[in-house]
Amino acid sequence: MRKAAITRNTTETSIKVAVDLDGSGKYAVKTGVGFLDHMLEQLSRHSLMDLEVEAKGDLHIDAHHTTEDVGIAIGQAVNQALGDRKGIARYGSAYVPMDEALTRVALDLSNRPYLIWKVTFGRDKLGTMDTELFKEWFQAFAQAAGATLHVESLYGDNDHHIVESCFKALARALRAATEIDPRKADAVPSTKGTLGGSL
Protein backbone atom coordinates (compact mmCIF):
# COMPACT_ATOMS: atom_id res chain seq x y z
CA MET A 1 0.00 0.00 0.00
CA ARG A 2 1.59 3.24 -1.16
CA LYS A 3 0.33 5.49 1.58
CA ALA A 4 1.98 8.04 3.84
CA ALA A 5 1.09 10.52 6.55
CA ILE A 6 3.12 13.59 7.48
CA THR A 7 2.82 15.97 10.41
CA ARG A 8 4.76 19.22 10.12
CA ASN A 9 4.79 21.72 12.98
CA THR A 10 6.71 24.99 13.05
CA THR A 11 6.21 28.33 14.76
CA GLU A 12 4.48 29.47 11.56
CA THR A 13 2.29 26.51 10.56
CA SER A 14 0.79 23.26 11.80
CA ILE A 15 0.06 20.79 9.01
CA LYS A 16 -1.21 17.24 8.69
CA VAL A 17 -1.14 15.50 5.31
CA ALA A 18 -2.11 11.99 4.23
CA VAL A 19 -1.81 10.56 0.72
CA ASP A 20 -2.67 7.31 -1.01
CA LEU A 21 -1.04 7.07 -4.43
CA ASP A 22 -3.36 4.20 -5.38
CA GLY A 23 -6.54 5.97 -4.39
CA SER A 24 -9.50 7.19 -6.41
CA GLY A 25 -9.10 10.95 -6.15
CA LYS A 26 -10.91 11.49 -2.85
CA TYR A 27 -9.95 14.61 -0.95
CA ALA A 28 -10.52 16.51 2.27
CA VAL A 29 -8.58 19.77 2.15
CA LYS A 30 -8.66 22.68 4.58
CA THR A 31 -5.77 25.15 4.53
CA GLY A 32 -7.56 28.38 5.35
CA VAL A 33 -6.69 29.66 1.86
CA GLY A 34 -9.71 29.13 -0.36
CA PHE A 35 -7.98 29.24 -3.72
CA LEU A 36 -5.23 26.87 -2.56
CA ASP A 37 -7.88 24.42 -1.34
CA HIS A 38 -9.48 24.54 -4.79
CA MET A 39 -6.17 23.78 -6.50
CA LEU A 40 -5.30 20.89 -4.16
CA GLU A 41 -8.73 19.38 -4.78
CA GLN A 42 -7.94 19.47 -8.51
CA LEU A 43 -4.56 17.84 -7.84
CA SER A 44 -6.22 14.98 -6.00
CA ARG A 45 -9.13 14.45 -8.37
CA HIS A 46 -7.05 14.39 -11.55
CA SER A 47 -4.11 12.37 -10.21
CA LEU A 48 -6.42 9.85 -8.51
CA MET A 49 -4.29 10.33 -5.42
CA ASP A 50 -6.37 10.44 -2.25
CA LEU A 51 -5.37 13.55 -0.34
CA GLU A 52 -6.10 14.85 3.13
CA VAL A 53 -4.71 18.21 4.20
CA GLU A 54 -5.39 20.08 7.42
CA ALA A 55 -3.33 23.23 7.85
CA LYS A 56 -3.33 26.10 10.29
CA GLY A 57 -0.94 28.94 9.58
CA ASP A 58 -0.15 32.55 10.29
CA LEU A 59 -2.67 33.88 7.79
CA HIS A 60 -2.91 37.12 9.75
CA ILE A 61 0.47 37.87 8.12
CA ASP A 62 -0.18 36.43 4.66
CA ALA A 63 -0.53 33.05 2.95
CA HIS A 64 3.16 32.55 2.16
CA HIS A 65 4.14 30.22 5.01
CA THR A 66 0.97 28.16 4.71
CA THR A 67 1.31 27.76 0.95
CA GLU A 68 4.99 26.81 1.06
CA ASP A 69 4.70 24.45 4.02
CA VAL A 70 1.68 22.67 2.55
CA GLY A 71 3.74 22.10 -0.62
CA ILE A 72 6.57 20.71 1.48
CA ALA A 73 4.30 18.40 3.47
CA ILE A 74 2.50 17.03 0.39
CA GLY A 75 5.84 16.50 -1.33
CA GLN A 76 7.23 14.69 1.71
CA ALA A 77 4.17 12.45 1.83
CA VAL A 78 4.46 11.58 -1.87
CA ASN A 79 8.17 10.88 -1.41
CA GLN A 80 7.51 8.61 1.54
CA ALA A 81 4.67 6.79 -0.22
CA LEU A 82 6.94 6.09 -3.21
CA GLY A 83 9.41 4.26 -0.98
CA ASP A 84 12.38 3.02 -3.05
CA ARG A 85 10.42 3.95 -6.22
CA LYS A 86 10.65 0.39 -7.44
CA GLY A 87 8.40 -0.36 -10.41
CA ILE A 88 7.21 3.18 -11.08
CA ALA A 89 6.99 4.58 -14.59
CA ARG A 90 9.11 7.47 -13.23
CA TYR A 91 8.31 9.90 -16.05
CA GLY A 92 5.04 11.64 -16.75
CA SER A 93 3.90 14.55 -18.86
CA ALA A 94 0.67 16.25 -19.74
CA TYR A 95 -0.83 19.07 -21.75
CA VAL A 96 -3.94 20.45 -20.11
CA PRO A 97 -6.17 23.07 -21.73
CA MET A 98 -8.63 25.15 -19.76
CA ASP A 99 -10.63 27.33 -22.08
CA GLU A 100 -8.10 29.76 -23.62
CA ALA A 101 -5.18 28.59 -21.46
CA LEU A 102 -2.81 25.69 -22.17
CA THR A 103 -0.13 24.35 -19.82
CA ARG A 104 2.56 21.73 -20.33
CA VAL A 105 4.05 19.79 -17.41
CA ALA A 106 6.91 17.27 -17.61
CA LEU A 107 7.88 15.32 -14.50
CA ASP A 108 10.70 12.96 -13.54
CA LEU A 109 10.49 11.29 -10.13
CA SER A 110 14.27 11.08 -10.18
CA ASN A 111 14.88 11.99 -6.52
CA ARG A 112 16.81 14.97 -7.93
CA PRO A 113 14.61 17.99 -7.18
CA TYR A 114 14.53 20.80 -9.69
CA LEU A 115 11.88 23.25 -10.83
CA ILE A 116 11.59 25.07 -14.12
CA TRP A 117 8.71 27.55 -13.87
CA LYS A 118 7.68 29.46 -16.97
CA VAL A 119 4.39 30.93 -15.86
CA THR A 120 3.44 34.59 -15.67
CA PHE A 121 0.34 36.30 -14.39
CA GLY A 122 -1.40 39.56 -15.15
CA ARG A 123 -2.89 39.98 -11.67
CA ASP A 124 -1.36 40.16 -8.22
CA LYS A 125 -4.07 38.11 -6.51
CA LEU A 126 -6.61 35.36 -7.10
CA GLY A 127 -9.15 35.62 -4.33
CA THR A 128 -7.01 36.43 -1.32
CA MET A 129 -3.98 34.52 -2.61
CA ASP A 130 -0.95 36.26 -4.11
CA THR A 131 -0.23 34.81 -7.53
CA GLU A 132 3.53 34.81 -6.78
CA LEU A 133 2.85 32.06 -4.22
CA PHE A 134 2.03 29.46 -6.85
CA LYS A 135 5.68 29.19 -7.81
CA GLU A 136 6.51 28.82 -4.12
CA TRP A 137 4.10 25.89 -3.82
CA PHE A 138 5.49 24.11 -6.90
CA GLN A 139 9.08 24.71 -5.74
CA ALA A 140 8.33 23.33 -2.28
CA PHE A 141 6.52 20.31 -3.70
CA ALA A 142 9.28 19.48 -6.20
CA GLN A 143 12.01 19.81 -3.56
CA ALA A 144 10.27 17.64 -0.98
CA ALA A 145 8.97 15.04 -3.44
CA GLY A 146 12.36 14.61 -5.11
CA ALA A 147 10.95 15.57 -8.48
CA THR A 148 12.41 17.26 -11.53
CA LEU A 149 9.43 19.36 -12.56
CA HIS A 150 8.99 21.58 -15.61
CA VAL A 151 5.88 23.76 -15.72
CA GLU A 152 5.20 26.01 -18.68
CA SER A 153 2.15 28.07 -19.49
CA LEU A 154 2.11 28.05 -23.28
CA TYR A 155 -0.58 30.71 -23.47
CA GLY A 156 -3.63 32.05 -21.69
CA ASP A 157 -5.33 35.27 -20.63
CA ASN A 158 -7.30 34.35 -17.52
CA ASP A 159 -5.05 33.83 -14.49
CA HIS A 160 -7.52 31.47 -12.81
CA HIS A 161 -7.48 29.26 -15.89
CA ILE A 162 -3.67 29.40 -16.13
CA VAL A 163 -3.14 28.31 -12.52
CA GLU A 164 -5.78 25.62 -12.63
CA SER A 165 -4.32 24.15 -15.81
CA CYS A 166 -0.90 24.04 -14.04
CA PHE A 167 -2.27 22.00 -11.15
CA LYS A 168 -4.32 19.72 -13.39
CA ALA A 169 -1.33 19.11 -15.66
CA LEU A 170 0.81 18.28 -12.63
CA ALA A 171 -1.90 15.89 -11.49
CA ARG A 172 -2.01 14.05 -14.81
CA ALA A 173 1.78 13.88 -15.03
CA LEU A 174 2.03 12.63 -11.44
CA ARG A 175 -0.56 9.96 -12.11
CA ALA A 176 1.46 8.69 -15.09
CA ALA A 177 4.81 8.84 -13.29
CA THR A 178 3.65 7.01 -10.16
CA GLU A 179 1.91 4.16 -11.96
CA ILE A 180 3.52 0.75 -11.62
CA ASP A 181 4.90 -0.71 -14.86
CA PRO A 182 3.85 -4.39 -14.74
CA ARG A 183 6.83 -5.36 -16.92
CA LYS A 184 9.31 -3.99 -14.38
CA ALA A 185 7.39 -3.97 -11.12
CA ASP A 186 10.37 -5.35 -9.21
CA ALA A 187 13.01 -2.96 -10.56
CA VAL A 188 13.99 0.64 -9.91
CA PRO A 189 13.71 2.56 -13.22
CA SER A 190 17.37 3.55 -13.45
CA THR A 191 20.46 1.89 -14.92
CA LYS A 192 22.16 2.66 -11.60
CA GLY A 193 19.63 0.52 -9.76
CA THR A 194 18.67 3.35 -7.43
CA LEU A 195 16.96 6.72 -7.52
CA GLY A 196 18.96 8.34 -4.82
CA GLY A 197 19.98 11.74 -6.11
CA SER A 198 22.63 10.83 -8.66
CA LEU A 199 22.48 10.88 -12.45
Side-chain angles (χ1 to χ4, degrees), residues 68-83:
E68 183 175 37
D69 288 2
V70 165
I72 291 170
I74 294 174
Q76 288 175 332
V78 168
N79 194 1
Q80 184 175 308
L82 285 169

Side-chain angles (χ1 to χ4, degrees), residues 31-90:
T31 68
V33 184
F35 199 90
L36 181 60
D37 288 357
H38 180 44
M39 293 301 99
L40 297 180
E41 290 166 358
Q42 301 301 324
L43 177 65
S44 172
R45 176 61 57 88
H46 294 282
S47 67
L48 297 184
M49 172 180 69
D50 290 348
L51 177 64
E52 296 178 17
V53 180
E54 184 178 345
K56 295 179 181 178
D58 52 3
L59 297 179
H60 62 287
I61 297 174
D62 64 12
H64 187 284
H65 298 141
T66 298
T67 300
E68 183 175 37
D69 288 2
V70 165
I72 291 170
I74 294 174
Q76 288 175 332
V78 168
N79 194 1
Q80 184 175 308
L82 285 169
D84 63 6
R85 308 189 182 212
K86 188 176 289 184
I88 62 169
R90 177 176 166 178

